[in-house]
Amino acid sequence: MCGIVAYKGQKDCFPILLDGLKKLEYRGYDSAGVACLVNNKIDITKRAGKVKELERAIAGKKSSKNCNGLGIAHTRWATHGEPNQKNAHPHSDESKKITLVHNGIIENYDPIKKFLRSKKIKFKSDTDTEVLVQLIGYFYNKGMLSFEQSVRAALQRVDGAYGIVILNTDFPDMMIAARKGSPLVVGIKDGEFFIGSDVSPIVKHTQKIIYLNDSEMAVIDGTNYEIKSVDKDVSLPKKVEKIDYKIDDFDKGKFKYFMHKEIHEQVTTIHNTLKGRSTKSSVLLHGLSEYWEEIKAAEKIYITACGTSWHAGLIGKNLIERFAEVPVHVEYASEFRYNHSIMDNKTIVIAISQSGETADTLAAISKANDFGAITIGICNVAGSSVSRETNCGIHTRCGHEIGVASTKAFTSQISILYLFALKLADSRKRITKTDMKKHLEMISDVHQKDIKSVLKKEKSIKKMAKKYQNASDFLYLGRGLNFPVALEGALKLKEISYIHAEGYPAAEMKHGPIALVDKNMPNVFIVPKDKTYDKIISNIEEIKSRKGKIIIVTDSKDKILRDLSDDLILLPKTNQYMFVMLATIALQLFSYFIAVAKGCDVDQPRNLAKSVTVE
Ligand code: M6R
């Protein structure tokens, strides 16, 4: 799951490629590299670490002055081989004629490597990617096949997923790109070509885009291009799409980290998600209109997603079952894609994804489409693969989320699921007009002042975070709608502060996790004043009697909670749906301040990537 950007034209490659890599760094930041054609030789620069390391290295190179016209670049999230310079892309074949960048995984790299070694080909890296470029080189250097035929021959022999862009020094005016399983996009502008693993490095230069489908390749030669099949040497008719998409320049404003900024943005992002999507008496979700007759008749709904988006899915299940009375199954996309799910054209599959590029979620959508289910995408990135591959969908409209830890996307996803549940309930006549009106009133008054008042608690949350920064394990406990909030709180903490944390339904804790509790263990309880309140108090007592530390997030001023807790975050009194948002925001701040206190790289935590584009 890496980022690819490539350029073919008349300009200096480096600024275009480096700018593109920065936009793609959300896909991985273990290493970065560039290959350009300079005086008919491939000039490669790579560095372990982030794009800024590569940028420094390039600034010190003479060749950066005369690298016109043809270049490929890559930012890596390591799969095969350590995240060091040796394993950084681009990789070349032994003859150094052929060089490529690759996104995806070559699953049968081992037997191919053995075969190539038997032909005395030597490998320099530990990557699966080098196996692919050496295989192309093996076919090409035998002299029997053309460049294009060699690429095709190699690709027909590999299993797994790839998005690749390839250069060959024998063809200094040519570039070949191909994809299977890993998205690749070609941007076109008067004799210039831009290739990206998504549109983000391209849209600044052109809005004319060709989305490659699986098993397609783009052969760019001079100022001409052709889209062909990877399977056989045939041209494919292909539409150039005009996209209307703008990437803002990323700016942290007054904040030190994007995550902090994005937590604060929720004052407006939740509002933006909901804006214009309801009237006083009904919910409007225009993106679903074409399929609404089928959606409203659904007999079963699957929600599929990964990570934080999966947690939003759990809240969605609660809301849809509660309001619309349709059974909902929530499955990790990585499991759904291989499970024996029972689907037909009366099944709705909702895929939730911030980035819209998560490989497992895309595979889950593809499976659902094959079964004839109606697929709905809830996605933040317009024009992303999830938006394009689902039958219909709704954009969360919360703006670019840059911090690897998802924050504002989560609360916007929940907002959409809330609207969807109400609309479905209304169409299926499972909600009274009066109740519908009440919910819609709540939605129209998005409680910006309540979110602000949680954000104002920053100072005290920061103080609390410092107190717990050295804990090695946390339990997060909640019930009903707040069980997913507990899961999300635990995920936020572990991914940015590297502290082990687990989320559990508060009562389930007695069935095992309670064995972990001792005087050093913080237990975060999410306690709304609702019908679960008394039960959670009992769960708190159970932990308290084992001397566990108690942190409570609540909207109740009851003395008993103050007496039971070591620390307490008091949220404004709202309603149970808004409580979920407010508790989430408080826990995001708590994790954030712990990570900052520990000196962690909050926006780009170790081992992670914003978008997981490999299986
Ligand atoms: O872009 P997606 O919503 O599909 O991403 C899914 C997960 O990879 C993502 O939520 C991940 O768990 C985040 N790092 C959580 O903060």
Side-chain angles (χ1 to χ4, degrees), residues 417-436:
L417 288 160
Y418 186 14
L419 289 176
F420 178 82
L422 289 176
K423 184 171 170 68
L424 196 59
D426 192 25
S427 295
R428 293 167 70 93
K429 306 208 175 342
R430 298 295 197 281
I431 189 166
T432 63
K433 295 275 168 235
T434 325
D435 282 349
M436 185 74 177

Side-chain angles (χ1 to χ4, degrees), residues 311-323 410 414 417-418 421 439 442 477-489 504-506 526-528 530-532 536 575-581 583-584 587:
H311 296 157
L314 292 176
I315 294 178
K317 169 185 165 73
N318 185 311
L319 297 173
I320 296 167
E321 288 183 339
R322 183 188 298 214
F323 295 137
F410 180 68
I414 298 170
L417 288 160
Y418 186 14
H439 283 286
M442 247 153 38
L477 302 157
R479 301 187 79 146
L481 276 175
N482 291 293
F483 161 52
V485 175
L487 288 174
E488 178 57 10
Y504 260 89
I526 303 144
V527 194
D530 64 11
K531 62 174 190 210
T532 63
I536 300 192
N575 57 67
Q576 55 176 322
Y577 308 105
M578 199 57 204
F579 178 87
V580 165
M581 308 275 191
T584 297
L587 293 178

